[in-house]
C-alpha cells in the first residue's frame, strides 16, 4: 500500500520534473551544457533609507556606458514610487518620488551588462575649477607635495603616478602628506592636488565585480585627463589603469545617491555572473512568462546569488545518499560532508582540504584536554566552538603574516558544524579508538570531496541553476534510493564468507 | 561482484538497507524504543512480566543521592553500576568483591568510596549516555556466569544474543569476550560470536571481525564444543520479550547465571547483522517463514515452532 503511493509519487515527480526541464530546453532554448556563452553580469543595487512621513525624492546615478561592458537591460522595483530617468550633463540618473513615506524604504535597481571589451567610455573631460581653496596651513603643504612630485615627473600622467605613490607607499614618512591626510580622504585629496597642479581630474565610483557577492559598496576611483587621454587611478594602491572587473557606476563626478526626505540612506550591491548562451545574451529580455517558464531568474538578484548555491545542495545530498545506501560509507554526521563541500566551493579543493585537516586535528587535540574537565555536553560543545573560532583566527593571521591570502578563506567553514564534528570524533576516539575515527573521518572527507566534485562541475551548476525541474527529478531519485533494500557495496565484502562457504 | 551479490541473495543474507526498511521500519514502532533504550524501564517491565532479570540493588537519579551509593551496596559482595541509557559497554563498572573501604574490580584494581561516587556522578551528568543527556545510574547484582563457559571467555561475562521476530526466536549467537575486545562482549571491538543452533543451543560456527574462526583466540578452546544449557527456558524468555515490548524485530541479550539460570540483560531495537556470519547463513529464509505465520500464538508454541522448523540442518 505505502509502496504503491511511493511509486505514484516518484512517477509524479519524474513526469513533472522532466516536462518542466524539457519545456525550458525546447521552448525557451536553454541549452543542456554551458557551451558557447557570453558573460552577463547581473548587478542589483538596493537603496535603503528611513523615511519620516515627508515627501521623498531619491536620485541615483546610473551607469552610463562604462568601459568594457554593454548595458543589456535594466529594471527597478519600487512599490508606490513614481519613477523617471533623467539625462544630465554628467550622466544618467533615476529619480523616484513619493508624496509621503514612513519607515524603512527599499528600492531596487537592477541592471544587466554584457562583457564587451570593445566598448569604450566616452566620458567628457571635466572642467578645471578656478581655484582650489585650502585652509591654512594646508596650502603650503599641498604646494610642497606638488612641487616634489613635479620635480620627478614629465607629464600629467607621470605626475599623477608620482603623486599617488607618495600617498600609498609610505604616507607616514612625509610630514606634509601626514598633515593633508589628516584632513581629507585620499581620493578627494588626490583630486584637489591634481586640480591645484592644473590637471583635470574627478572622483568616479566603481564596483568590483565578483560572482555571487552581496552587500558590496562602491569604491572611489580617480579619473585623470590629459587632452583626450584618460587615466584611471586606484587611490588605495596607487596603481593606474582600469581592471577588467571594474564597473564604473558613476563617472561624472556627481553624487551617487541623493535622498531628500529620508535619513540613513545607503546603497549596496549584489552581483551575479551568468554565462548565457550567445543567443540568449543577445536577446535582452530574460523574463519568460507563464508557469512553465518558471525560473529563479525572475527573483531579485540578491536571492538568485543565494539560490545558485542552494540549488546545488540536493546534488550533494544525492551523493551522500548514494554513498551511504549503495556503497555503505560511514560518515560522521549525515550531511556534514555536504556543508564541507559547500565550503570547498568557496576555498577551492586543495586549500579547503588543508584548512579542514588543520582545524579538525588541532581541534581534536584541544578537545582531548577539555575532556579531562568533565563538562556538561552543551558547555563542552560551546567551548569547542570557541576553540574552533580561535583556531580559525590564529590560522588566518598566521597565513596572512606568511603571505598566503588563502589563509583567509578558512573563515568560510561552517564553524558550528565543525565543532560538532570535532566533538563527535573525539567521543568516537575515546570510545572506539583511533581506527574508527579514521574510518569515519576518511569517509566524511571522501564524501565531501565527491560531493564537491559533483557540485563544482560547470555542467552540473549550469543544469541546476537553469532547470528548476531537475530538483523534482533529484527528489524522485532520492525517494527511489530510500526504498532500495539490496546490499551495499561494502556489505558484499563483509558478508563474503557467507557467499563462498558451504558447498 | 554481481555474482557474489546473487550468491548472497540466494543464501538469504539480508543487508542493512533491507533490515532498516523491511524489518525495523515495518515492525518496530518508534514510540516503543524508549522501553529498550532505557535499561531501567526494560528491567521494571521484565519484572512485571515475570521474566528473570538481575536483582536491582538500587537506582540513583540525582546528584544529592550520590553519597548513598555505598549504603546501597553494603549488603552485597559483588555488584555492577551502569548507566540506564548507555550502550556498547560504556560506563559499566564491575566490582567483584569488597573489603572495608575498598572495592575490587575483576582486574584486581582497587577503587575507593570517592572513586565510586565520582563514577556515579559522571553517569548522572550524561557522560556515557547517548547524546550526553542526563541519565540515571543502575546498581545491580553481579552475574556469576556458568562455570562451563570459563574456558571460552577472557575476563568478561559472555552473553547470548537471540533475534526475536514477531515473537519467534529466529537466530542465536553467543558472544565471548577476548583480549582484543578488552573483556567486553562487543562484536565490533573484537569479541567472538558463536552461532548457535536454534533447535539445540549447540555451536554451529564462529566469527571474529566479520571473518570465520573456529577456536577462541585467547584460550584456544574449540568453539564447536560449545553448548548452552537450559536452552528451552532461555528461548521461552526471549520469546516473551515480544509481549513485553511490542517490538517485532528485537535483539535480546541473555546471560546464564550459575545460581538463577538464564536472565535478561538488555534488549535492542536495532540488532546487528553479524549474527548471520556466525551462523553461516542468512536470516531471510527464517524471517520469510515467520512472516507467513498468523499472529497470536502463545510463547511456548512459537518456541516449539522455531525449534522444529528453524533448526540448523
Ligand atoms: N550485572 C553484571 N554483572 C557482570 N557483568 C555485567 C553485568 N552487567 C553487564 N555486564 C557486562 O557488561 C557488558 C555490557 O552490558 P549491557 O548491559 O549489555 O550494556 P550495553 O548496553 O552497554 O551493552 C555485558 O556484556 C557484560 O559483559
Ligand atoms: Mg549489550
Amino acid at each position: 500500500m505505502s509502496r504503491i503511493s511511493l511509486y505514484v509519487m516518484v512517477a509524479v515527480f519524474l513526469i513533472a520534473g522532466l516536462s518542466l526541464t524539457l519545456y525550458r530546453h525546447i521552448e525557451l532554448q536553454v541549452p543542456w551544457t554551458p557551451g558557447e556563452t557570453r558573460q552577463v553580469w547581473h548587478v542589483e543595487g538596493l537603496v535603503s533609507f528611513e523615511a519620516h512621513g515627508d515627501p521623498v525624492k531619491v536620485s541615483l546615478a546610473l551607469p552610463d556606458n562604462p568601459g568594457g561592458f554593454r548595458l543589456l537591460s535594466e529594471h527597478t522595483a519600487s512599490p508606490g514610487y513614481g519613477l523617471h530617468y533623467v539625462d544630465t550633463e554628467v550622466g544618467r540618473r533615476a529619480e523616484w518620488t513619493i508624496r509621503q513615506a514612513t519607515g524603512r524604504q527599499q528600492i531596487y535597481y537592477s541592471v544587466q551588462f554584457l562583457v564587451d571589451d570593445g566598448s569604450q567610455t566616452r566620458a567628457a573631460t571635466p572642467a578645471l575649477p578656478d581655484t582650489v581653496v585650502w585652509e591654512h596651513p594646508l596650502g603650503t603643504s599641498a604646494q610642497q607635495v606638488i612641487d616634489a612630485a613635479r620635480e620627478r615627473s614629465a607629464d600629467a600622467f607621470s605626475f599623477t603616478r608620482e603623486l599617488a605613490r607618495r600617498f600609498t607607499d609610505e604616507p607616514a614618512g612625509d610630514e606634509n602628506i601626514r598633515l593633508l591626510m589628516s584632513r581629507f580622504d585620499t581620493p578627494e585629496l588626490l583630486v584637489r592636488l591634481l586640480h591645484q597642479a592644473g590637471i583635470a581630474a574627478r572622483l568616479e565610483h566603481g564596483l568590483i565585480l565578483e560572482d555571487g557577492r552581496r552587500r558590496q559598496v562602491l569604491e572611489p576611483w580617480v579619473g585623470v585627463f590629459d587632452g583626450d587621454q584618460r587615466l584611471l587611478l586606484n587611490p588605495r594602491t596607487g596603481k593606474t589603469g582600469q581592471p577588467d572587473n571594474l564597473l564604473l557606476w558613476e563617472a561624472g563626478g556627481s553624487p551617487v545617491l541623493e535622498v531628500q526626505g529620508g535619513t540613513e540612506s545607503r546603497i549596496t550591491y549584489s552581483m551575479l555572473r551568468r554565462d548565457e548562451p550567445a543567443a540568449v545574451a543577445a536577446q535582452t529580455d530574460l523574463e519568460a512568462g507563464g508557469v512553465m517558464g518558471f525560473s529563479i531568474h525572475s527573483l531579485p538578484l540578491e536571492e538568485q546569488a543565494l539560490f545558485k548555491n542552494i540549488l546545488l545542495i540536493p546534488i550533494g545530498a544525492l551523493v551522500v545518499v548514494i554513498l551511504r545506501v549503495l556503497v555503505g560509507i560511514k560518515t560522521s554526521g549525515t550531511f556534514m560532508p555536504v556543508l564541507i563541500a559547500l565550503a570547498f566551493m568557496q576555498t577551492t579543493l586543495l586549500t579547503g582540504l588543508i584548512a579542514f585537516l588543520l582545524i579538525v586535528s588541532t581541534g581534536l587535540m584541544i578537545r582531548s584536554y577539555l575532556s579531562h574537565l568533565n563538562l556538561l555536553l552543551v558547555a563542552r560543545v560551546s567551548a569547542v566552538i570557541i576553540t574552533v573560532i580561535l583556531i580559525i583566527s590564529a590560522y588566518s593571521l598566521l597565513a596572512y603574516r606568511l603571505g598566503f591570502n588563502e589563509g583567509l578563506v578558512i573563515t568560510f567553514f561552517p564553524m558550528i558544524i565543525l565543532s560538532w564534528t570535532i566533538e563527535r570524533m573525539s567521543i568516537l576516539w575515546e570510545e572506539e579508538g583511533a581506527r574508527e575515527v579514521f574510518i569515519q573521518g576518511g569517509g566524511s572527507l571522501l564524501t565531501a570531496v565527491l560531493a564537491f566534485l559533483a557540485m563544482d562541475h560547470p555542467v552540473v551548476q549550469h543544469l541546476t541553476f537553469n532547470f528548476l525541474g531537475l530538483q523534482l527529478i533529484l527528489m524522485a531519485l532520492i525517494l527511489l534510493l530510500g526504498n532500495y533494500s539490496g546490499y551495499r557495496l561494502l556489505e558484499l565484502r563483509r558478508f563474503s564468507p557467507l557467499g563462498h562457504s558451504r558447498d | 561482484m554481481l555474482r557474489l551479490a546473487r550468491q548472497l541473495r540466494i543464501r538469504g543474507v539480508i543487508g542493512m538497507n533491507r533490515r532498516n526498511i523491511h524489518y525495523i521500519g515495518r515492525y518496530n514502532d518508534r514510540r516503543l524504543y524508549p522501553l529498550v533504550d532505557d535499561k531501567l524501564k526494560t528491567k521494571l517491565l521484565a519484572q512485571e512480566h515475570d521474566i528473570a532479570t538481575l536483582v536491582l540493588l538500587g537506582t540513583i537519579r540525582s546528584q544529592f543521592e550520590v553519597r548513598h551509593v555505598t549504603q546501597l551496596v553494603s549488603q552485597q559482595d559483588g555488584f555492577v553500576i551502569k548507566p540506564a541509557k548507555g550502550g556498547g559497554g560504556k560506563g559499566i563498572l564491575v566490582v567483584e568483591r569488597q573489603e572495608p573501604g575498598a572495592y575490587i574490580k575483576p582486574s584486581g584494581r582497587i577503587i575507593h568510596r570517592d572513586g565510586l561516587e565520582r563514577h556515579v556522578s559522571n553517569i548522572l551528568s550524561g557522560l556515557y549516555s547517548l547524546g550526553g543527556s542526563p541519565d540515571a545510574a543502575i546498581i545491580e547484582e553481579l552475574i556469576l556466569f556458568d562455570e562451563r563457559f570459563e574456558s571460552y571467555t577472557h575476563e568478561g561475562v559472555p552473553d547470548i544474543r537471540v533475534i526475536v521476530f514477531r515473537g519467534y526466536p529466529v537466530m542465536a549467537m553467543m558472544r565471548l569476550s577476548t583480549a582484543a575486545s578488552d573483556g567486553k562482549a562487543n562484536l565490533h571491538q573484537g569479541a567472538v560470536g558463536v552461532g548457535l543452533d536454534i533447535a539445540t543451543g549447540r555451536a554451529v560456527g564462529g566469527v571474529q571481525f566479520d571473518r570465520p574462526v573456529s577456536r577462541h583466540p585467547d584460550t584456544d578452546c574449540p568453539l564447536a564444543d560449545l553448548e548452552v544449557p537450559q536452552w528451552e527456558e532461555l528461548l521461552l524468555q526471549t520469546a516473551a520479550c515480544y509481549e513485553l515490548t511490542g517490538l517485532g524485530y528485537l535483539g535480546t541479550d541473555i546471560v546464564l547465571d550459575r545460581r538463577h539460570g538464564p536472565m535478561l540483560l538488555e534488549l535492542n531495537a536495532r540488532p546487528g547483522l553479524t549474527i548471520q556470519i556466525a551462523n553461516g547463513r542468512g536470516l531471510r529464509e527464517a524471517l520469510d517463514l515467520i512472516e507467513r505465520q498468523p499472529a497470536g500464538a502463545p510463547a511456548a508454541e512459537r518456541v516449539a515452532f522455531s525449534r522444529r522448523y528453524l533448526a540448523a540442518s
Side-chain angles (χ1 to χ4, degrees):
Chain A
M1 189 48 211
S2 71
R3 281 304 94 125
I4 294 173
S5 63
L6 178 92
Y7 289 129
V8 170
M9 212 145 94
V10 168
V12 169
F13 279 139
L14 266 185
I15 292 169
L18 276 176
S19 38
L20 265 174
T21 308
L22 286 176
Y23 176 82
R24 275 189 66 77
H25 177 62
I26 296 167
E27 284 298 308
L28 304 179
Q29 293 176 353
V30 185
W32 293 129
T33 54
E36 206 223 310
T37 54
R38 308 288 300 271
Q39 268 187 27
V40 175
W41 281 98
H42 296 237
V43 180
E44 182 180 272
L46 167 60
V47 176
S48 60
F49 58 93
E50 206 67 55
H52 306 290
D54 304 321
V56 172
K57 182 171 163 196
V58 178
S59 166
L60 175 70
L62 302 183
D64 196 10
N65 274 309
F69 301 91
R70 207 170 74 215
L71 193 141
L72 286 181
S73 63
E74 55 188 352
H75 307 271
T76 66
S78 50
Y81 282 81
L83 162 71
H84 36 163
Y85 294 99
V86 260
D87 270 317
T88 73
E89 225 153 88
V90 287
R92 275 183 337 128
R93 297 188 77 87
E95 281 184 2
W96 290 271
T97 43
I98 195 167
R99 176 63 52 196
Q100 198 200 19
T102 24
R104 193 95 210 128
Q105 303 288 309
Q106 291 194 320
I107 292 175
Y108 289 91
Y109 170 77
S110 70
V111 59
Q112 274 103 58
F113 286 106
L114 186 68
V115 174
D116 183 358
D117 296 331
S119 84
Q120 288 292 329
T121 341
R122 352 175 217 100
T125 307
L128 268 176
D130 297 341
T131 49
V132 183
V133 184
W134 300 93
E135 273 173 54
H136 187 74
L138 297 179
T140 13
S141 298
Q143 198 52 51
Q144 279 174 14
V145 173
I146 291 170
D147 291 345
R150 182 164 284 147
E151 203 136 295
R152 303 164 124 258
S153 59
D155 55 9
F157 288 169
S158 59
F159 173 80
T160 306
R161 286 193 195 96
E162 184 58 33
L163 189 65
R165 194 184 58 74
R166 276 152 209 275
F167 283 88
T168 50
D169 278 9
E170 223 181 272
D174 184 326
E175 203 177 314
N176 288 324
I177 290 190
R178 246 185 307 151
L179 183 63
L180 289 167
M181 281 176 86
S182 67
R183 300 301 303 274
F184 293 99
D185 287 339
T186 318
E188 191 192 345
L189 190 55
L190 284 170
V191 172
R192 290 178 70 105
L193 289 171
L194 286 165
H195 282 166
Q196 169 116 350
I199 297 169
R202 70 171 165 230
L203 270 188
E204 305 188 351
H205 293 91
L207 193 62
I208 293 289
L209 296 178
E210 270 180 86
D211 192 17
R213 284 303 161 97
R214 305 165 58 205
R215 311 234 166 88
Q216 301 296 300
V217 292
L218 294 180
E219 288 180 327
W221 292 70
V222 177
V224 184
F225 299 81
D226 183 15
D228 53 358
Q229 303 257 63
R230 173 173 172 275
L231 180 78
L232 195 66
L233 169 74
N234 182 340
R236 286 161 298 281
T237 61
K239 297 221 171 66
T240 51
Q242 180 165 353
D244 280 346
N245 63 341
L246 177 70
L247 171 70
L248 279 178
W249 188 271
E250 190 286 317
S254 57
V256 175
L257 176 66
E258 282 177 313
V259 176
Q260 288 166 23
T263 51
E264 291 167 54
S265 63
R266 58 193 250 109
I267 177 163
T268 58
Y269 295 87
S270 22
M271 56 205 92
L272 202 60
R273 193 187 70 207
R274 269 216 307 263
D275 295 327
E276 311 249 350
V280 178
Q283 291 170 11
T284 43
D285 74 320
L286 291 171
E287 320 119 88
V291 184
M292 288 299 271
F294 197 64
S295 128
I296 35 171
H297 301 158
S298 46
L299 281 177
L301 212 54
E302 174 137 1
E303 274 71 20
Q304 278 190 43
L306 262 179
F307 261 103
K308 202 169 187 173
N309 277 336
I310 290 179
L311 289 175
L312 284 170
I313 293 178
I315 297 285
L318 181 70
V319 172
V320 168
V321 172
I322 288 176
L323 288 182
R324 287 212 142 203
V325 172
L326 296 187
V327 182
I329 285 182
K330 278 197 212 170
T331 61
S332 102
T334 316
F335 286 105
M336 184 273 269
V338 180
L339 295 173
I340 301 294
L342 277 175
F344 284 168
M345 301 205 19
Q346 311 280 333
T347 61
T348 71
L349 189 55
L350 190 67
T351 31
L353 270 176
I354 294 172
F356 179 81
L357 290 176
L358 275 177
I359 298 173
V360 172
S361 53
T362 319
L364 275 176
M365 279 191 293
I366 292 175
R367 166 64 176 73
S368 78
Y369 286 112
L370 283 177
S371 78
H372 294 306
L373 302 179
N374 256 344
L375 303 176
L376 288 176
L377 181 84
V378 192
R380 197 169 60 218
V381 176
S382 310
V384 175
I385 291 176
I386 296 175
T387 314
V388 166
I389 289 173
L390 288 179
I391 299 170
I392 287 179
S393 324
Y395 279 133
S396 304
L397 274 174
L398 192 72
Y400 186 71
R401 277 286 156 81
L402 294 178
F404 306 115
N405 276 331
E406 287 88 0
L408 295 173
V409 302
I410 240 177
T411 48
F412 284 114
F413 279 98
M415 304 190 195
I416 309 272
I417 305 287
L418 272 183
S419 308
W420 271 106
T421 308
I422 290 171
E423 170 68 18
R424 254 196 236 112
M425 293 222 172
S426 99
I427 290 184
L428 204 64
W429 195 306
E430 282 167 18
E431 289 171 358
E432 318 277 341
R435 214 180 93 93
E436 195 67 16
V437 172
F438 286 113
I439 292 180
Q440 294 201 10
S444 307
L445 222 46
L446 179 72
T447 312
V449 170
L450 290 179
F452 164 80
L453 291 178
M455 286 157 65
D456 198 47
H457 199 282
V459 175
V460 173
Q461 294 198 343
H462 169 83
L463 289 177
T464 49
F465 193 52
N466 288 292
F467 298 94
L468 265 189
L470 211 64
Q471 304 291 327
L472 295 179
I473 299 177
L474 285 174
M475 179 81 164
L477 279 180
I478 286 175
L479 287 182
L480 273 182
L481 280 172
N483 196 33
Y484 168 77
S485 67
Y487 302 113
R488 300 170 179 177
L489 203 60
L490 292 178
E491 272 178 349
L492 290 181
R493 201 175 71 98
R494 178 180 176 200
F495 290 130
S496 61
L498 285 172
H500 306 310
S501 71
R502 306 193 313 164
D503 66 46
Chain B
M1 204 133 69
L2 281 179
R3 251 193 49 207
L4 180 58
R6 214 178 54 232
Q7 287 264 335
L8 291 178
R9 197 157 39 242
I10 291 169
R11 296 234 153 79
V13 176
I14 67 172
M16 286 287 211
N17 292 332
R18 188 172 173 86
R19 182 199 74 169
N20 292 345
I21 293 175
H22 254 74
Y23 303 108
I24 295 182
R26 211 180 272 177
Y27 290 99
N28 288 356
D29 187 342
R30 211 155 244 293
R31 279 171 304 163
L32 300 174
Y33 279 20
L35 297 183
V36 298
D37 286 343
D38 185 336
K39 291 195 174 69
L40 197 57
K41 283 196 182 137
T42 314
K43 210 181 213 3
L44 299 178
L45 213 61
Q47 280 168 3
E48 271 172 41
H49 284 73
D50 286 328
I51 293 176
T53 61
L54 291 154
V55 173
L56 184 65
L57 301 175
T59 54
I60 295 180
R61 293 167 186 282
S62 63
Q63 295 284 359
F64 65 83
E65 293 174 76
V66 166
R67 55 205 157 74
H68 300 317
V69 61
T70 45
Q71 243 166 289
L72 286 172
V73 299
S74 61
Q75 300 298 312
Q76 210 70 19
D77 207 24
F79 60 92
V80 172
I81 302 181
K82 55 167 109 169
K85 293 179 194 152
K90 274 168 282 164
I92 298 186
L93 176 73
V94 180
V95 171
E96 211 164 47
R97 59 200 172 83
Q98 40 177 304
E99 282 163 16
Y103 302 91
I104 298 156
K105 301 209 266 187
S107 58
R109 293 258 302 274
I110 293 175
I111 64 169
H112 300 286
R113 180 188 174 138
D114 58 336
L116 212 60
E117 288 179 358
R118 193 167 50 242
H119 187 77
V120 174
S121 163
N122 281 345
I123 290 179
L124 296 187
S125 64
L127 195 60
Y128 307 108
S129 56
L130 298 166
S133 55
D135 203 353
I138 301 178
I139 304 167
E140 64 181 18
E141 63 173 348
L142 183 70
I143 301 162
L144 299 175
F145 69 88
D146 208 299
E147 296 93 335
R148 275 167 286 191
F149 300 139
E150 199 83 64
S151 54
Y152 289 104
T153 170
H154 178 92
E155 283 182 0
V157 176
D159 67 0
I160 296 152
R161 156 66 57 89
V162 182
I163 303 273
V164 179
F165 182 51
R166 298 180 68 217
Y168 293 80
V170 289
M171 206 173 257
M173 160 176 76
M174 183 159 213
R175 293 184 295 197
L176 310 169
S177 47
T178 63
S181 76
D182 196 23
K184 286 183 219 148
N186 267 353
L187 289 179
H188 69 276
Q189 287 176 335
V192 168
V194 182
L196 301 172
D197 184 354
I198 210 80
T200 59
R202 287 205 192 102
V204 294
V207 60
Q208 186 187 28
F209 287 126
D210 286 341
R211 288 293 171 264
V213 290
S214 56
R215 288 171 176 275
H216 191 280
D218 304 313
T219 66
D220 212 35
C221 261
L223 300 174
D225 298 345
L226 194 77
E227 181 175 359
V228 178
Q230 293 170 284
W231 188 239
E232 171 84 16
E233 200 184 329
L234 189 151
L235 287 185
L236 278 172
Q237 233 177 55
T238 62
C241 290
Y242 174 53
E243 276 83 15
L244 189 76
T245 58
L247 290 167
Y249 188 77
L250 189 64
T252 60
D253 291 357
I254 308 279
V255 283
L256 277 182
D257 189 275
R258 68 175 76 135
R259 300 154 299 180
H260 318 293
M263 312 190 90
L264 180 63
L265 187 59
E266 65 159 338
L267 296 172
N268 197 325
R270 314 164 195 81
L273 295 171
T274 315
I275 197 169
Q276 300 180 106
I277 309 177
N279 279 275
R281 68 181 198 178
L283 272 163
R284 181 73 183 271
E285 208 182 320
L287 295 177
D288 283 351
L289 179 67
I290 301 301
E291 239 171 0
R292 289 195 295 271
Q293 302 310 309
E301 235 169 73
R302 299 197 302 256
V303 169
F305 180 91
S306 292
R307 295 188 75 173
R308 164 111 53 90
Y309 294 103
L310 303 179
S313 50

